[in-house]
Amino acid sequence: QSSELKRYQANELDMTYEVPDKQIDRLRGQYPDELVISPWLGTYYYGFNLTQPPFKDNLALRKAISMAIDREIVMKAVTRAGEIPAYGWVPPVTGYTGQKPEWADWPRDKQLAEAQRLYAEAGYGPGKQLKTTLIYNTQENHKRIAVAIAGMLKEYLGMEVSLLNQEWKVFLETRKQKVETQIFRAGWIGDYNDPFTFSELMRTGHGLNDSDYRNPEYDDLLARASAEQDMEKRIALLEEAERLIIRDIPIAPIYFYVAKRLVKPWVGGYSSNIMDHHYTKNFFIREH
């Protein structure tokens, strides 16, 4: 990202794919008319490996970790680009009501008290702290978020979180094998503007279900939604399915994405959209 930014500043690029989070404030001031930030249909989350301890059959532990993560602080102090704190799985989608847990609206001190109670219920606390590894793919923004969240888990629960970064292809294979992973970074950008593009990822056996979440009730809701022709009934089934994800916590959602990039003033035809899809046939270069 830093190299990309340098090339943009040297006029070697007309547009960046993204920008470093740590430079968002500077870029807002330096390029107010070139920094483009817009909603993007995606969820940034941490997954739990449910195939082995410590997260297998330990809902209290997974819930304690999710509750201990201060999403508001991550957005304000780390990402800083207007991302939306996420407590549910499905980002804002037209015609769909995103679900969230009851505790999402609790005061922060109440959230932490319950997280600490659940951590103790899970069998951890003074004298027996959980030691776990958080794996993320090598990238500046992912590292900053991982460092911040590891610090929160240490401060609020006493957990010892080791950070491990891997190059993209190695990282994907590690997640797929489900042997070395305990907590892993993940993100999903919708393939189309509909909640099902998120719902299906948590179906039993799905190729990207790297938590290995298995719930026959959830699978049945998705099958019924796929066959339902009444749109209101279909949406209600998918909302019910999301409530199961919130209850079972195979993942800890962190935030809903925004697209953030620099675009030169001479680039014509650029228009933000929820899918962040851009056809080069629409672009043109103004005289400059």
Side-chain angles (χ1 to χ4, degrees):
Q1 294 169 341
S2 295
S3 298
E4 182 183 31
L5 177 57
K6 289 177 182 177
R7 293 188 64 190
Y8 180 88
Q9 292 173 318
N11 289 335
E12 295 177 7
L13 294 176
D14 294 316
M15 181 190 305
T16 67
Y17 181 72
E18 53 192 341
V19 295
D21 286 338
K22 64 182 179 182
Q23 299 201 48
I24 282 288
D25 290 342
R26 180 180 70 81
L27 295 176
R28 278 197 175 104
Q30 187 173 356
Y31 302 104
D33 299 325
E34 298 176 41
L35 180 62
V36 181
I37 299 176
S38 59
W40 193 12
L41 190 67
T43 304
Y44 189 106
Y45 64 99
Y46 282 170
F48 299 107
N49 184 353
L50 304 183
T51 69
Q52 59 189 21
F55 300 112
K56 180 181 180 181
D57 301 326
N58 200 334
L59 175 61
L61 179 58
R62 302 195 302 271
K63 188 173 183 180
I65 291 173
S66 186
M67 292 183 75
I69 297 172
D70 193 330
R71 294 156 176 81
E72 300 286 344
I73 292 296
V74 173
M75 304 305 98
K76 292 177 182 177
V78 183
T79 61
R80 303 179 63 83
E83 292 86 354
I84 303 171
Y87 297 91
W89 170 224
V90 181
V93 174
T94 303
Y96 179 87
T97 301
Q99 306 298 299
K100 63 181 181 179
E102 178 187 6
W103 57 263
D105 295 322
W106 291 359
R108 186 60 184 153
D109 57 350
K110 184 178 179 180
Q111 290 179 351
L112 289 177
E114 179 63 7
Q116 290 161 358
R117 187 193 69 79
L118 289 166
Y119 188 62
E121 180 184 313
Y124 299 96
K128 186 186 177 183
Q129 295 293 356
L130 175 66
K131 296 181 179 180
T132 189
T133 300
L134 194 169
I135 298 180
Y136 63 95
N137 54 298
T138 305
Q139 196 236 48
E140 297 169 52
N141 291 346
H142 298 332
K143 179 179 180 179
R144 297 181 72 242
I145 293 170
V147 168
I149 290 179
M152 292 174 187
L153 298 179
K154 175 66 175 178
E155 178 181 356
Y156 301 141
L157 300 180
M159 284 176 53
E160 297 181 22
V161 182
S162 299
L163 303 182
L164 175 63
N165 65 293
Q166 296 180 333
E167 294 305 313
W168 180 242
K169 290 184 178 180
V170 175
F171 171 71
L172 291 181
E173 187 61 26
T174 301
R175 278 175 43 178
K176 181 179 178 181
Q177 294 300 322
K178 302 178 181 66
V179 176
E180 298 178 18
T181 55
Q182 292 184 335
I183 306 175
F184 58 88
R185 187 213 76 84
W188 181 247
I189 305 299
D191 291 323
Y192 44 92
N193 192 9
D194 185 271
F196 195 82
T197 186
F198 290 86
S199 306
E200 65 175 342
L201 259 68
M202 294 298 159
R203 175 175 48 78
T204 300
H206 190 283
L208 295 176
N209 181 1
D210 289 333
S211 289
D212 201 43
Y213 176 60
R214 297 172 181 268
N215 184 334
E217 183 182 358
Y218 183 85
D219 296 343
D220 179 64
L221 286 169
L222 262 60
R224 289 164 57 193
S226 297
E228 181 58 65
Q229 297 186 34
D230 184 303
M231 287 304 296
E232 289 188 4
K233 292 180 180 179
R234 175 179 178 272
I235 289 296
L237 290 168
L238 294 177
E239 289 174 353
E240 185 177 351
E242 185 179 10
R243 288 193 289 273
L244 289 182
I245 293 292
I246 290 169
R247 183 195 71 185
D248 296 342
I249 316 179
I251 61 171
I254 309 297
Y255 64 77
F256 298 131
Y257 279 92
V258 293
K260 45 195 175 184
R261 63 172 50 90
L262 290 163
V263 182
K264 292 292 186 182
W266 54 75
V267 174
Y270 182 91
S271 179
S272 298
N273 61 84
I274 191 68
M275 301 300 298
D276 199 36
H277 288 173
H278 304 278
Y279 295 97
T280 53
K281 68 181 179 66
N282 295 331
F283 291 158
F284 58 93
I285 300 297
R286 299 185 179 94
E287 184 175 354
H288 61 282

